[in-house]
């Protein structure tokens, strides 16, 4: 179904209004982010082309000659912002100056999403698999001149990408930090916090398949964008007020970004739940020897915590942190505790206390 030109102009106007609204309340948080990035030498954005012609956009924070290399796998619909609580906690430490200058953090937009849409317009859905994304991570490390990364931090979708990467090429990943994710078959556990309900996952497949159409997105887009303030006032603001966390900033970003990067991005976004459900690393968990920290919340209904317990029980070198009152956003709800635990984990397994870049200069190439 084609969208009438009059509707297109209305949608564009709504997008501008929503973007303006988002900009007004984002200012303080954006300034905080810039302060953190500036501490590490600023953020740079670059891109490269994969062997199958997809342009992958990636962002780096921190000096290129930093001895510790951290690769971040985002959640579906997230960007570099998810790493901010981690960086902010590191920034609070007394030896922050000497510590942050030793870290280079790199994240990328998954193929078909955000600024990595180019080249995926004609690709079939199977080319959005977790293995393809893991191969993109390998290609990114090659692009950066890294022989390996000291740690892979994955949030939500990034957990499955990280598990696939560590299983495929164990020598490329020094350690894993897995936040609020699953080992596979996402839809067959989503919204099933206590136990898996037979056939519910199949129902989610049919529902998402219905939504994965241009006509549906064109129908919903003006409704959502013109009512962005409803989500802000009645959902994200109360959550932020009750918890003192940044739900408002992250939440409205998430909703509006779904529509703000074009129809290819939106359709691909809805393909990813299918690919996440088709993927499973459960049988590979005992083979992943890298030191691993798994973080979850008991109230996480999107990626239930029993996935975390299953990963911890099957991975031979795994630590587990579960917050009783944590949801899918444990990193936002408990930034101090999770940030400290991540720092301790990196210190123990990632040698966060390297004294100079020279000590490790040859390991990562460039």
């Amino acid at each position: 179904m084609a969208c009438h030109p009059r509707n297109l102009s209305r949608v564009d106007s709504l997008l501008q209004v929503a973007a303006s609204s988002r900009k007004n309340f984002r200012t303080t948080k954006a300034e905080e982010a810039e302060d953190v990035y500036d501490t590490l030498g600023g953020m740079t954005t670059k891109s490269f082309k994969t062997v199958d012609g997809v342009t992958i956009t990636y962002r780096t924070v921190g000096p290129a000659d930093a001895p510790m290399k951290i690769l971040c796998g985002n959640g579906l619909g997230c960007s570099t912002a998810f790493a901010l609580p981690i960086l902010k906690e590191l920034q609070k430490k007394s030896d922050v100056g000497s510590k942050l200058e030793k870290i280079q953090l790199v994240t990328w937009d998954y193929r078909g999403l955000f600024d990595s849409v180019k080249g995926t317009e004609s690709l079939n859905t199977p080319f959005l698999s977790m293995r393809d994304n893991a191969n993109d991570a390998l290609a990114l490390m090659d692009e950066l001149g890294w022989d390996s990364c000291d740690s892979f931090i994955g949030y939500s979708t990034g957990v499955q990408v990280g598990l696939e990467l560590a299983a495929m090429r164990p020598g490329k990943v020094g350690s894993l930090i897995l936040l609020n994710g699953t080992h596979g078959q996402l839809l067959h556990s989503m919204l099933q916090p206590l136990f898996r309900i037979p056939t519910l996952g199949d129902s989610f497949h049919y529902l998402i398949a219905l939504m994965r159409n241009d006509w549906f997105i064109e129908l919903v887009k003006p409704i959502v964008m013109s009512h962005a303030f409803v989500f802000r006032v009645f959902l994200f603001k109360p959550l932020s007020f009750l918890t003192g966390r940044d739900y408002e900033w992250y939440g409205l970003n998430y909703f509006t970004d779904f529509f703000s990067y074009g129809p290819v991005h939106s359709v691909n976004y809805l393909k990813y739940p299918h690919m996440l459900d088709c993927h499973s690393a459960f049988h590979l968990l005992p083979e992943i020897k890298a030191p691993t920290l798994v973080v979850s919340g008991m109230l996480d209904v999107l990626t239930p915590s029993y996935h975390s317990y299953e990963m911890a029980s099957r991975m031979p070198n795994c630590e587990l942190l579960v917050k009783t009152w944590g949801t899918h956003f444990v990193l936002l709800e408990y930034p101090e505790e999770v940030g400290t635990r991540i720092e301790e984990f990196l210190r123990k397994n990632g040698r966060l206390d390297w004294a100079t870049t020279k000590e490790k200069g040859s390991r990562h190439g460039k």
Side-chain angles (χ1 to χ4, degrees), residues 3 18 39 49 56 58 61 79 86 93 147 152 157 183 188 203 230 274-275 294 306 337:
C3 189
T39 304
K49 186 173 289 189
I56 298 296
Y58 65 95
V61 180
S79 63
I86 300 173
K93 306 302 177 183
D147 294 330
F152 182 97
T157 298
H183 49 68
H188 282 77
S203 301
V230 175
H274 286 156
M275 302 312 299
V294 175
Y306 50 73
E337 184 173 346

Side-chain angles (χ1 to χ4, degrees), residues 191-209:
L191 302 183
Q192 302 160 67
L194 299 179
F195 53 85
R196 296 171 177 87
I197 302 174
T199 75
L200 185 57
D202 296 330
S203 301
F204 286 139
H205 267 282
Y206 286 114
L207 177 62
I208 294 172

Side-chain angles (χ1 to χ4, degrees), residues 159-176:
V159 169
Q160 291 182 236
V161 175
L163 289 172
E164 187 70 17
L165 175 62
M168 285 170 49
R169 300 291 295 278
K172 290 288 187 177
V173 181
S175 62
L176 290 166

